[in-house]
Amino acid sequence: MLHFSSDEFATRRARLQAEMSERKLDALLVFAQDSMYWLTGYDTFGFHFFQCLVVKADGEMRLVTRSADLRQARHTSNIETIVLWRDRGGANPAIELRDVMDDMGLLGARVGVEWATQGLTAANGRLVEEKLGSFATLLDASDLMPTLRLVKSEAEIAYVRDAARMGDDAFEAMMPLVREGADESELLHALQGSILRAGGDYPANPFILGSGADALLCRYRSGRRALAAQDQLTVEWAGVRANYHAPAMRTVIVGRPLMRHGELFEAARQGMAAIEAVMRPGHTFGDVFDAHARVVEEHDMVRHRLSACGYSVGARFAPSWIEPQMFVSGNAEPIRPGMTLFAHMILMDSDSETAMSLGQTYLTTDGAPESLSRLPLDLPFVG
């Protein structure tokens, strides 16, 4: 099952070949699962084992993988040549990879490698260097595919829009359940269940849902609690369609918002407005971070903020839905039309154990960014 047309995949391959030519690469070793998915449609979680897609400058592709993923590749991708390495004691799949590359005429070639990916462990990377280091000239090309994927096609944007709608629906399905005594498990079930029921996918990382002191956490943690009469609930979730993500984030108040909640929310809302003002062509990812940071500084909340305020999103696989391009200080990556970007304001006051977060996914345009969420950027509370 392919989620995109043959013309779409042909355009992506042509773009890759053009970039490889620009970098004078004879081949690219693709280890990142999201890169394989973008280029061929190949959809699997088997990347925690050794696998590699070899792409030559002329467009020829061969996948080296395990027997468990043979049918997966045939069913979900347009890859024609699949070579299996055999599981056995002392197996070294880098040998099979070298043999495939030799058969493709790549001895002595300039070969780009996706080193910076969860699809290539440090141990497997050492095997690649050991078996291919004298076979070819290996060059770090970890940034090549993420750069190509940064600006989305119309077909990709359609999936992100659908994902955003699913995310909105999921939040609206959860909110009626938020009340004193509600178990976090019930709320998490409503969020995730709504998306799966709508035909969505599992997210690349778990949803974040924490209340009380755990509302200050920015990661999923095991364990559940029931909401108190006066409480706070931080939720970060994402609609997911065809592996494309549209995250959102909110802090929900149970009872009456505390004065500190109001102060933090005001800074967060102003911060989102500042972000929207610079998330447009002519500015950079670093400019977006700086705009958020100025607002936080004006509210004297610098020590309560994080060192990033968002990132690019798209088709991603475990362990994270975050694409490499992030809103951090000094990031010179330019904002261009057609990007799908998640921006957030996260303010966590550990002194008073007060949490506040706002976040949503945007589509960049020639002018102001378009919010892909219909949810208002307000302070949700249940009295």
Side-chain angles (χ1 to χ4, degrees), residues 343-355:
H344 60 65
M345 290 292 299
I346 300 177
L347 298 170
M348 302 303 186
D349 184 349
S350 296
D351 296 336
S352 62
E353 291 195 337
T354 310

Side-chain angles (χ1 to χ4, degrees), residues 132-175:
L132 297 179
S134 60
F135 175 87
T137 300
L138 303 182
L139 305 166
D140 188 358
S142 301
D143 67 316
L144 196 162
M145 293 286 271
T147 299
L148 292 178
R149 299 198 314 269
L150 183 53
V151 174
K152 273 54 176 185
S153 69
E154 288 301 319
E156 290 179 291
I157 291 170
Y159 279 128
V160 181
R161 287 187 184 280
D162 205 15
R165 177 189 57 77
M166 290 181 180
D168 289 348
D169 291 346
F171 187 76
E172 291 176 346
M174 181 201 74
M175 278 300 293

Side-chain angles (χ1 to χ4, degrees), residues 265-326:
F265 173 77
E266 186 59 29
R269 187 64 189 90
Q270 290 181 24
M272 290 297 288
I275 285 171
E276 291 173 358
V278 296
M279 190 190 287
R280 58 189 71 196
H283 295 278
T284 68
F285 277 54
D287 292 337
V288 173
F289 175 84
D290 292 343
H292 127 281
R294 281 194 296 272
V295 172
V296 174
E297 185 174 358
E298 289 169 1
H299 286 263
D300 194 25
M301 296 180 181
V302 173
R303 63 196 182 96
H304 305 314
R305 70 162 171 83
L306 305 182
S307 297
C309 68
Y311 40 80
S312 175
V313 291
R316 290 287 286 174
F317 291 77
S320 174
W321 65 49
I322 301 175
E323 291 192 325
Q325 300 87 355
M326 300 187 70

